[in-house]
Amino acid sequence: MDNGACVQEVTSANIALEEIGRQLHELCQPLTTLQCRLELSTFVGTIESYREAVAAGLEQCSRLVERVESMREILHAVHEAEARTATIEALPGPWGAGYRDGL
């Protein structure tokens, strides 16, 4: 693998890690909201407070699923980019590593 491809892979991986870090940070808000709503419903103890807590909890769970799906998409994109790079590197001739290594 040439230096340009290595730099590109490292840069892509760093960008993906930064985005996943941001997504993980954004997971904290709905998790905290979910936890607080459920805890508050136990203090009030009415059927209505439980219903509100369940409704809010379901809403926060939807947000959590969106964040997790976003992270999965990022990881899938990184995996696809790595697979493309590996395929190009394996090509013979001027497109692959074999040609560059002989230069």
Side-chain angles (χ1 to χ4, degrees), residues 7 15 17 25 36-37 41 52 63 72 77 79 95-96 99:
V7 169
I15 291 169
L17 286 174
H25 176 75
C36 288
R37 295 287 280 199
S41 73
E52 288 175 5
R63 290 180 63 196
R72 289 178 69 189
H79 178 71
W95 301 280
Y99 178 78

Side-chain angles (χ1 to χ4, degrees), residues 50-65:
Y50 290 131
R51 285 185 181 145
E52 288 175 5
V54 168
L58 290 171
E59 183 179 317
Q60 297 306 313
C61 285
S62 293
R63 290 180 63 196
L64 293 169
V65 168

Side-chain angles (χ1 to χ4, degrees), residues 21-95:
R22 187 179 68 76
Q23 294 291 333
L24 285 170
H25 176 75
E26 289 183 19
L27 277 176
C28 291
Q29 196 275 330
L31 281 171
T32 302
T33 301
L34 176 60
Q35 181 181 13
C36 288
R37 295 287 280 199
L38 293 173
E39 287 176 358
L40 285 174
S41 73
T42 63
F43 292 128
V44 176
T46 66
I47 291 175
E48 186 59 30
S49 69
Y50 290 131
R51 285 185 181 145
E52 288 175 5
V54 168
L58 290 171
E59 183 179 317
Q60 297 306 313
C61 285
S62 293
R63 290 180 63 196
L64 293 169
V65 168
E66 288 174 11
R67 295 290 175 225
V68 170
E69 285 298 319
S70 179
M71 287 186 283
R72 289 178 69 189
E73 289 172 9
I74 293 165
L75 291 173
H76 180 72
V78 168
H79 178 71
E80 290 293 318
E82 289 173 351
R84 282 192 302 273
T85 299
T87 300
I88 291 169
E89 290 295 317
L91 290 173
W95 301 280

